Amino acid sequence: MTPGGVRVVVHPDAEAVAEATAARLLVTLLDTLSVQDRADVVLTGGTVGIATLAAVSRSALAGSVDWTSVHVWWGDERFVPAGDPDRNEGQAQAAMLASLPIPEDNIHRMGASSAFDSVESAADAYALEIAAAGPPAWDVLMLGMGPDGHVASLFPGHPGYAVRGVEALPVRDSPKPPPTRVSLSLESIRRARRVWIVAAGAAKADVVARALHGDLELPSAAARGTEETLWLIDAEASTRV
């Protein structure tokens, strides 16, 4: 346990991070649905994030979850046309969603550039969809972390990191391509009951250490859950902790 109540779980490698996170997610969903009528999960993209979703889809435990009571959301999305391989939702569809009996109405995709005339209108539409759902206190919110310490599409020093008072926001001039995106705000992220940050690889070791020591220049350091904040990392990413 680090200062501030953040817990770090270290696995041997990236594959083990994905497999263990998938098992953790499935058990958490089962526990959540035993005490409430629905579960709201925010998915992430990235190599480890998508590998985690693939591990969920092939787990025997997936058959025990009432997927009709699970609602799926995204932390961020690339504002490109539907069907573009850069879109997180398409990768998630192939890795997990197509294999599970989740009703289409329970899958809350962020808007594509083929459906909205601007990234601002796509972000506004997602904010309205969140508001119509409660807004939910996300039961599990998963985040990947970039080597610069960004989570969702909140980047260090970028204006979006400082935005308050909205659920979702447009991102222009992203430091990482593609440059135009929709992202949950930090306020929305911090409403989650459980925030899980997954990271792997030696290239992320320095920024993992900075975030865990509370360097709030990094959005990853500010991403906290109201009940639980977990860093699920591999041995290479843990070397500076």
Side-chain angles (χ1 to χ4, degrees):
M1 186 84 73
T2 68
V6 178
R7 193 152 60 96
V8 181
V9 180
V10 180
H11 296 288
D13 53 33
E15 181 180 357
V17 172
E19 293 288 339
T21 303
R24 186 183 295 271
L25 177 60
L26 288 164
V27 170
T28 301
L29 288 174
L30 286 167
D31 289 347
T32 298
L33 291 172
S34 72
V35 295
Q36 61 190 53
D37 292 336
R38 67 180 267 174
D40 289 271
V41 179
V42 180
L43 304 183
T44 184
T47 303
V48 179
I50 296 302
T52 297
L53 303 186
V56 167
S57 71
R58 63 176 178 263
S59 171
L61 196 57
S64 300
V65 174
D66 176 11
W67 293 104
T68 65
S69 299
V70 176
H71 285 252
V72 174
W73 306 78
W74 273 266
D76 72 327
E77 186 58 274
R78 290 81 180 267
F79 191 62
V80 293
D84 189 296
D86 272 343
R87 281 183 62 81
N88 289 328
E89 62 97 3
Q91 297 175 40
Q93 184 74 21
M96 183 184 81
L97 299 179
S99 303
L100 299 175
I102 304 178
E104 183 60 31
D105 286 349
N106 290 16
I107 301 174
H108 305 275
R109 297 177 172 86
M110 287 177 164
S113 62
S114 51
F116 289 87
D117 59 2
S118 71
V119 66
E120 287 79 11
S121 59
D124 288 346
Y126 210 63
L128 287 171
E129 191 164 353
I130 292 169
W138 319 114
D139 294 293
V140 178
L141 188 147
M142 295 191 294
L143 296 166
M145 185 193 68
D148 60 354
H150 83 266
V151 290
S153 283
L154 305 178
F155 295 89
H158 194 273
Y161 180 28
V163 169
R164 300 292 184 269
V166 298
E167 293 285 349
L169 57 107
V171 177
R172 292 187 178 273
D173 301 318
S174 160
K176 180 182 178 181
T180 310
R181 298 155 175 252
V182 176
S183 180
L184 292 185
S185 67
L186 182 61
E187 279 185 15
S188 189
I189 289 169
R190 289 175 65 98
R191 197 178 62 250
R193 293 190 174 98
R194 301 169 188 84
V195 168
W196 298 351
I197 300 175
V198 294
K204 296 183 180 178
D206 285 340
V207 76
V208 166
R210 285 176 58 197
L212 288 173
H213 285 89
D215 183 350
L216 291 177
E217 290 185 4
L218 306 176
S220 52
R224 298 288 184 93
T226 61
E227 297 177 11
E228 176 182 75
T229 306
L230 279 181
W231 281 69
L232 303 160
I233 61 178
D234 73 346
E236 289 187 342
S238 74
T239 56
R240 307 278 181 153
V241 174

